[in-house]
Amino acid sequence: MYEVKKSGRNACQFYTAAMQMESEHKHVLYNELVSAINNEQLMVYFQPVVDAVSGMIVSCEALVRWPRADGSWVAPDVFIPVAEERGLINRVDLLVLQRSLESIRQLNRQLDRPIGLSVNVSPKLLHLRDDDAQQWLRVLEGEHEVAITIEITERVLIDEVGNTSKVLEQIHAAGVNIAIDDFGTGYSGLSYFSRFPVSAVKIDRSFVRDLGQRATQTTLVETILLLARKLGIQVVAEGVETAEQASILRDNNCDFLQGYFISKPIPEKEFMALVMAQQDKNKA
Ligand code: C2E
Ligand code: CA
Ligand code: CA
């Protein structure tokens, strides 16, 4: 806008220039991402999910991390959309699934009570249009050791593009759980609960943040918990940052908690040490 005012040219020109800059930026990011994948620079971090009552770690969410050679990190919110637009996301999701499964398999062999693994899945992957997506499905179907949950957003169920619902049925039949991520942000009706095999919802961070501060948000969370209970669906609260939030959630029968209050996402070794330490403490 400032440029337009300064130059007196039309707005269309400025918009085009801005778009060009953005597209160049994305192109650079894309090329960098391709080489990060090829050079195995992408990492997986794990964030614990705990039982709301006992505090025991019952599962974890695998989150992709991209550390650059210069020591900076590219946030998933920045590169995941680029990967989705340019057809790289299936490679990323396959890689995260394979790596995280390997880590949790190894960890579970040392545990008395095995933990589960949640992975995020891009809607694009569920169309199963390329080799990476097909391979991803085969990995899921072939896994009999680790209890896996795939996290999808409400959008996937509302849009129902192509054969998504068939794929979800197939995944469910293979014993994989399906969780609705960012639950409550999709402006959706709730009818998909009767059409899809959903076993858990993850209450979005935006609702959890204002728990105890704003009456409306608190009522919304209480209502989601009540609804889930009636439907026989488990609830994970995301973005739990304070003891007060945790206690309100517990009082309202929320099943599981995830957030900085428990732990940030951490590297594999650190995560394994955390789980082992909790097991040892519990035995003592
Ligand atoms: P998400 O699936 O909703 O993941 C939760 C995000 O919230 C993570 O951000 C996590 O680090 C952050 N978080 C967890 N607890 C707290 C908390 O207490 N407070 C705050 N402020 N934040 C918290 P992250 O790792 O940056 O990931 C962002 C998004 O990128 C994810 O949102 C997910 O949609 C996407 N993503 C991450 N990894 C993958 C992946 O492997 N595949 C795909 N397709 N998407 C991924
Ligand atoms: Ca997630
Ligand atoms: Ca989420």
Side-chain angles (χ1 to χ4, degrees):
M1 191 183 76
Y2 290 123
E3 286 303 314
V4 173
K5 278 184 184 163
K6 249 193 291 180
S7 67
R9 286 189 190 158
N10 64 49
C12 186
Q13 186 131 8
F14 172 70
Y15 185 57
T16 308
M19 276 173 68
Q20 171 139 2
M21 244 173 67
E22 193 188 316
S23 122
E24 272 165 23
H25 176 69
K26 276 186 183 169
H27 192 66
V28 172
L29 205 63
Y30 168 82
N31 286 332
E32 258 193 276
L33 183 57
V34 171
S35 63
I37 294 171
N38 291 338
N39 299 326
E40 303 197 347
Q41 281 163 349
L42 293 191
M43 296 171 65
V44 181
Y45 272 30
F46 297 89
Q47 187 175 33
V49 174
V50 301
D51 181 295
V53 177
S54 71
M56 293 299 285
I57 298 168
V58 290
S59 68
C60 60
E61 177 173 359
L63 293 156
V64 68
R65 289 292 177 267
W66 178 7
R68 276 200 182 112
D70 66 3
S72 64
W73 296 71
V74 190
D77 288 335
V78 173
F79 73 86
I80 295 279
V82 174
E84 283 183 333
E85 260 175 50
R86 312 268 171 125
L88 277 179
I89 191 65
N90 293 359
R91 277 185 81 186
V92 173
D93 281 353
L94 172 63
L95 188 149
V96 170
L97 175 66
Q98 288 172 321
R99 294 253 193 94
S100 57
L101 256 180
E102 188 50 45
S103 304
I104 300 307
R105 253 187 238 128
Q106 206 186 321
L107 173 63
N108 277 347
R109 286 184 196 131
Q110 306 170 60
L111 294 177
D112 301 334
R113 252 185 287 170
I115 65 164
L117 169 69
S118 274
V119 291
N120 292 286
V121 178
S122 161
K124 293 242 158 54
L125 189 131
L126 291 170
H127 303 162
L128 297 182
R129 288 216 183 94
D130 65 13
D131 288 349
D132 292 319
Q134 299 281 346
Q135 202 184 334
W136 176 87
L137 184 63
R138 283 198 298 275
V139 173
L140 273 193
E141 291 184 324
E143 177 60 41
H144 304 295
E145 250 180 271
V146 180
I148 309 175
T149 299
I150 59 162
E151 299 190 1
I152 57 176
T153 55
E154 284 170 293
R155 276 271 138 247
V156 173
L157 303 184
I158 300 157
D159 296 347
E160 252 193 286
V161 184
N163 58 351
T164 300
S165 60
K166 247 174 68 194
V167 175
L168 289 175
E169 286 295 346
Q170 195 177 339
I171 288 171
H172 178 69
V176 173
N177 293 313
I178 296 164
I180 308 296
D181 207 350
D182 308 335
F183 183 72
T185 59
Y187 317 107
S188 65
L190 298 168
S191 65
Y192 60 73
F193 280 115
S194 61
R195 289 183 289 123
F196 295 100
V198 173
S199 54
V201 295
K202 299 189 76 169
I203 303 182
D204 190 62
R205 194 163 73 221
S206 56
F207 295 102
V208 174
R209 189 181 48 218
D210 296 326
L211 266 184
Q213 315 288 323
R214 287 173 56 195
T216 322
Q217 299 301 83
T218 307
T219 308
L220 278 174
V221 170
E222 285 167 2
T223 310
I224 293 173
L225 285 161
L226 211 63
L227 173 84
R229 181 144 300 267
K230 295 244 176 198
L231 289 169
I233 290 169
Q234 294 192 308
V235 181
V236 184
E238 284 192 307
V240 181
E241 293 185 352
T242 68
E244 190 194 8
Q245 291 163 352
S247 121
I248 294 173
L249 288 159
R250 207 178 298 118
D251 291 347
N252 283 284
N253 298 316
C254 181
D255 303 283
F256 307 108
L257 310 178
Q258 179 181 355
Y260 295 172
F261 178 62
I262 295 114
S263 163
K264 288 198 168 178
I266 46 181
E268 179 198 31
K269 290 229 156 54
E270 233 175 279
F271 178 70
M272 290 195 174
L274 184 73
V275 178
M276 295 303 293
Q278 197 182 51
Q279 172 169 289
D280 292 345
K281 200 172 135 201
N282 209 42
K283 274 186 193 160

